[in-house]
Each structure stands twice: as structure tokens, then as C-alpha cells.
Amino acid sequence: MFNRAVSRLSRKRPPSEINDSDSKPTSSQQILKGTSRWTTSLENLLEDPEGVKRFREFLKKEFSEENVLFWLACEDFKKTQDKKQMQEKAKEIYMTFLSSKASSQVNVEGQSRLNETILEEPHPLMFQKLQDQIFNLMKYDSYSRFLKSEIFLKHQRTEEQEENSPEAQTVAKRASRIYNT
């Protein structure tokens, strides 16, 4: 039963693995950058380091930065290969985000059922259900507010100004001349 559940969960890929090496990004994925790409999905936002930085800044003001920090910690945890390192990271995630004494406790269902005994035999997907809950919380709550926030809108305006600057247009003209000769 446990193995079946793990194999089912392992089919779910994190946003960082959605575009595998066999598939080519669609034309819309190639064109959209920065804030334009962030508006298409939370997954796209979380794939961009600048997007994560701005989203964290927003969540900090909303007193819910622990959600994205937990999600990022789980993504990092899933990539861990070494068993000892996995145990250490599992304990750190548990103590930081899930225990009743956690410094940055996240609010997830079933959290009380997770106890320290599970930390003895960690596996890459042990936090997947909780991570999915936090992802959905961010997706349907914080993300939409972020897209309307001053932090996002200010960054979007700055991007637009940079794209419309004389320097950017000059570079584009030079590139056009180089490739069209």
C-alpha cells in the first residue's frame, strides 16, 4: 500500500521538472518573461528566482512567508540523495515548519499526525501531501493578491520602462541588423 502511494506521488512532478529535456517549450513560454510569465501561473512564478524573491517580499508583509519557505524547503528536500543529509533536512523541516514548537509553523491539515518518529526513515516524498496543501493555499489565496499588490505592479512598471528605454530599442535594432544581413 505504501509503495503504491509513493509511486502515485512520484508521478507528480514539481514545477521545476515540468519541462523535461525531451519536450520543447511552447512559443508562449519562449516569449513571456518576468512579470508577464509570473501572471500565467504560480508554477511559473516559483520557477523564477526573481519571482520567488518578490513573492517572498509580499508574503513577508502579509505575515505568511513561512508558506513559500516551507514549499522551497520541500523542493530542496526532494532533490536530496544522501540518507544522512535527508534525515537532517527532514528534521530541520519538521522543527522549523511542522512541530508544535516550530518557529515558522505552517497551517496544514494532518500536521498533528506527523510526529518525530517519521523522521527516522525519511523518503523524498514524505512531505508531499503537506507541500501540496501549502501550494494550493498560496495558489488560491496569496498568489492572486500578489498579482494585485504594489510590489508586483511596481516591478512590472520597472520592467516595462526598461523594455521601452532607448538603450533596449538600440540593442534590438542592432540585433535586427546583425541577423537580417
Side-chain angles (χ1 to χ4, degrees):
M1 176 125 166
F2 174 74
N3 289 336
R4 198 168 14 149
V6 169
S7 70
R8 225 179 349 172
L9 284 173
S10 66
R11 282 185 243 142
K12 287 186 173 186
R13 294 184 296 173
S16 58
E17 295 176 10
I18 289 174
N19 287 332
D20 58 18
S21 57
D22 296 338
S23 66
K24 297 197 186 303
T26 64
S27 59
S28 64
Q29 288 175 321
Q30 291 172 339
I31 296 168
L32 294 178
K33 294 179 181 171
T35 55
S36 299
R37 188 159 156 72
W38 301 350
T39 60
T40 59
S41 70
L42 178 59
E43 290 90 340
N44 287 339
L45 171 73
L46 293 172
E47 286 176 351
D48 183 344
E50 185 65 25
V52 171
K53 178 182 173 184
R54 300 297 174 178
F55 192 47
R56 278 185 65 186
E57 186 180 337
F58 169 75
L59 290 176
K60 193 178 285 188
K61 288 185 175 191
E62 293 223 329
F63 304 102
S64 58
E65 182 186 24
E66 67 277 358
N67 291 334
V68 74
L69 293 176
F70 173 72
W71 188 88
L72 291 168
C74 290
E75 284 297 291
D76 181 56
F77 176 77
K78 287 189 275 190
K79 297 173 189 168
T80 305
Q81 301 291 319
D82 181 65
K83 205 68 160 161
K84 184 166 175 51
Q85 198 175 25
M86 191 179 282
Q87 270 185 322
E88 290 169 6
K89 285 184 178 185
K91 186 171 184 167
E92 184 178 339
I93 288 171
Y94 178 80
M95 298 307 284
T96 305
F97 301 106
L98 300 170
S99 87
S100 58
K101 299 171 187 159
S103 57
S104 299
Q105 190 176 38
V106 291
N107 187 14
V108 290
E109 292 177 29
Q111 159 181 337
S112 57
R113 284 178 278 160
L114 256 186
N115 59 40
E116 290 188 57
T117 57
I118 195 171
L119 303 176
E120 299 303 318
E121 288 296 323
H123 57 88
L125 300 173
M126 66 189 284
F127 298 117
Q128 187 65 50
K129 185 177 177 186
L130 302 174
Q131 184 185 15
D132 289 345
Q133 286 180 31
I134 292 299
F135 179 84
N136 286 327
L137 177 67
M138 292 189 300
K139 182 177 182 175
Y140 296 111
D141 185 38
S142 310
Y143 174 65
S144 58
R145 286 196 315 277
F146 170 70
L147 295 177
K148 298 171 190 165
S149 73
E150 188 56 36
I151 291 171
F152 173 80
L153 296 172
K154 183 178 177 183
H155 190 72
Q156 189 176 42
R157 285 190 298 269
T158 302
E159 264 185 4
E160 289 169 359
Q161 288 171 350
E162 288 172 359
E163 286 174 9
N164 296 328
S165 72
E167 296 88 29
Q169 291 173 359
T170 305
V171 170
K173 286 179 185 175
R174 273 187 292 186
S176 175
R177 279 195 304 256
I178 291 170
Y179 291 110
N180 292 325
T181 55

